Amino acid sequence: MATTEPAVRPPDNAGKKILMIMTTGPEDPDKTYAPFYTAALMAAMEIDTTMYFLMHAPELLVKGRADSLPLKKGGNLRMFIDMALENGVKFLACSESCRDLCDIPEGALLDGVKLVGSATLADLALEADSVISF
Amino acid sequence: MATTEPAVRPPDNAGKKILMIMTTGPEDPDKTYAPFYTAALMAAMEIDTTMYFLMHAPELLVKGRADSLPLKKGGNLRMFIDMALENGVKFLACSESCRDLCDIPEGALLDGVKLVGSATLADLALEADSVISF
Amino acid sequence: MATTEPAVRPPDNAGKKILMIMTTGPEDPDKTYAPFYTAALMAAMEIDTTMYFLMHAPELLVKGRADSLPLKKGGNLRMFIDMALENGVKFLACSESCRDLCDIPEGALLDGVKLVGSATLADLALEADSVISF
């Protein structure tokens, strides 16, 4: 679906930016895949899409973690994360959350995830055409 | 209140669009009525208001479900849903959430609810003047 | 960090407004401090920052309550609330939530918190350059 729906749309999303703020972590797996799926779809629609992970959400991005997160619909979270990354969604993790709340050691996050500070969230929010919080 | 407050306001909201994204379902009833109440109020203020339901939130819209959701403040959720619908709030439910997560059979949703795909969320978010996530 | 990061930034945020909508209360303390910290930082970046508290979130603002909310990272929530207030973040609490859901008696909220109705949320959301929901 992520690849077929955009085909019938005019390419009028160029330059548009959506920021998706993720605050849900592995404590509620079924609330985590829709955001990745939606972000992947947005990127396929040529929207510049960034996901910012804070609170317990960065734990979803620890290597190997998503592979063991089963979903009610079948499969696991990893395929949705990969779909988003492959479609060009940018993944930013809050360095304070990683350090103070999630105890994520350096190098534990998936390749392609960038650590940033909280000030970045303010900049991203103001730059975005739309902010969605999950 | 929804009907009296707007009376003292200038009608300067014409053409304004608010998208409200609902991700909370019947698992936490007291977190569900404020969004419907607020959306009803926004519509009464002549704001073009859309509620998009995903994750477990579409379960709130299954016929009969809200009637049995008691609220701490008294009453049940149904009256808030009806108030929003009567005021012209548009209700869109994510078809993937209905199918994969909520197991909602066709025809089970309240009259007036429209099923849409995830790509619609991207379009709505970009069109809206403001996006609120609950 | 809130005081050093903005020093290296151009003051191009003047006039920008961010609305932060808080729906999490004392039931999940570790999900509460990042918003106050981030809001404090935004205000330090010269962004006009407003936090709007509804559902159980106003309980965080009852005098004495945050002092007894321990955080995993150490300390308690109070210091983050104070940091936000000192930096000029505006605190608005939903009067309906305070009355119907939180049972907060008049005068129980921290100095500096203003009680407002739901219509204010609509106005704030439309005025803001960015809305973030936590």
Side-chain angles (χ1 to χ4, degrees):
Chain A
M1 248 170 103
T3 52
T4 56
E5 287 198 26
V8 298
R9 296 167 173 283
D12 54 358
N13 293 317
K16 295 285 183 184
K17 289 186 187 184
I18 288 184
L19 171 64
M20 199 178 279
I21 301 178
M22 290 283 291
T23 58
T24 304
E27 71 274 11
D28 195 350
D30 282 322
K31 282 202 150 182
T32 59
Y33 77 87
F36 289 103
Y37 175 81
T38 307
L41 183 56
M42 289 169 171
M45 291 166 70
E46 298 187 31
I47 299 166
D48 182 343
T49 308
T50 297
M51 297 180 82
Y52 183 96
F53 299 79
L54 79 165
M55 300 183 190
H56 285 286
E59 296 173 18
L60 300 171
L61 306 179
V62 170
K63 283 172 189 158
R65 190 73 180 85
D67 308 63
S68 60
L69 272 184
L71 304 176
K72 182 174 180 296
K73 67 175 279 170
N76 62 55
L77 185 63
R78 180 61 185 273
M79 60 171 286
F80 291 95
I81 291 179
D82 287 346
M83 192 193 301
L85 283 171
E86 280 160 22
N87 281 12
V89 176
K90 278 167 273 186
F91 281 28
L92 305 180
C94 169
S95 57
E96 290 93 337
S97 296
C98 288
R99 185 191 63 208
D100 297 335
L101 198 56
C102 306
D103 297 321
I104 297 176
E106 216 171 319
L109 294 174
L110 293 172
D111 294 340
V113 181
K114 195 174 158 193
L115 276 178
V116 296
S118 297
T120 302
L121 179 57
D123 292 335
L124 291 168
L126 288 174
E127 284 166 15
D129 293 285
S130 184
V131 179
I132 298 178
S133 306
F134 278 124
Chain B
M1 247 170 101
T3 53
T4 58
E5 286 199 27
V8 298
R9 293 167 175 281
D12 55 358
N13 293 318
K16 293 285 184 186
K17 290 186 187 182
I18 288 185
L19 171 65
M20 199 178 279
I21 301 178
M22 292 283 290
T23 58
T24 304
E27 71 274 11
D28 195 350
D30 282 322
K31 283 202 150 182
T32 60
Y33 76 88
F36 289 102
Y37 175 81
T38 308
L41 184 56
M42 289 169 172
M45 292 165 71
E46 299 187 30
I47 299 165
D48 182 343
T49 308
T50 298
M51 297 179 82
Y52 183 97
F53 299 80
L54 80 165
M55 299 183 192
H56 285 287
E59 296 174 17
L60 300 172
L61 306 178
V62 170
K63 285 172 187 159
R65 189 74 180 86
D67 308 63
S68 60
L69 273 184
L71 304 176
K72 182 175 180 296
K73 66 174 282 175
N76 62 55
L77 184 64
R78 179 62 185 272
M79 60 171 287
F80 291 95
I81 291 179
D82 286 347
M83 192 193 302
L85 283 171
E86 281 158 22
N87 282 12
V89 176
K90 278 166 274 185
F91 281 27
L92 305 181
C94 169
S95 56
E96 290 93 336
S97 295
C98 289
R99 186 191 60 207
D100 296 335
L101 198 56
C102 306
D103 296 321
I104 298 177
E106 216 172 318
L109 295 173
L110 294 172
D111 295 338
V113 181
K114 195 175 157 193
L115 277 179
V116 296
S118 297
T120 304
L121 179 57
D123 291 335
L124 291 168
L126 288 174
E127 283 166 15
D129 293 286
S130 184
V131 179
I132 298 178
S133 306
F134 279 125
Chain C
M1 249 169 97
T3 53
T4 56
E5 288 198 26
V8 298
R9 294 167 174 282
D12 54 359
N13 293 317
K16 294 286 183 185
K17 290 186 186 182
I18 288 185
L19 171 65
M20 200 178 278
I21 301 178
M22 290 284 290
T23 58
T24 303
E27 72 274 10
D28 195 350
D30 282 322
K31 282 201 150 182
T32 60
Y33 76 89
F36 289 103
Y37 174 81
T38 307
L41 183 56
M42 289 170 171
M45 290 164 72
E46 298 186 33
I47 298 166
D48 182 343
T49 308
T50 298
M51 297 180 81
Y52 183 96
F53 299 79
L54 79 165
M55 300 184 191
H56 285 288
E59 296 173 18
L60 299 172
L61 306 179
V62 169
K63 285 172 188 159
R65 189 74 180 88
D67 307 63
S68 60
L69 272 184
L71 304 176
K72 182 175 180 293
K73 66 175 281 174
N76 62 55
L77 184 64
R78 180 61 184 274
M79 60 172 286
F80 291 95
I81 290 179
D82 287 347
M83 191 193 303
L85 282 171
E86 281 159 22
N87 282 13
V89 176
K90 279 166 274 186
F91 282 26
L92 305 181
C94 169
S95 57
E96 289 94 336
S97 295
C98 289
R99 186 191 61 206
D100 297 334
L101 198 56
C102 305
D103 296 321
I104 299 176
E106 217 172 317
L109 294 174
L110 294 173
D111 294 340
V113 181
K114 195 175 158 193
L115 276 178
V116 296
S118 297
T120 303
L121 179 56
D123 292 335
L124 291 167
L126 288 174
E127 284 166 14
D129 293 287
S130 184
V131 179
I132 298 178
S133 305
F134 278 124

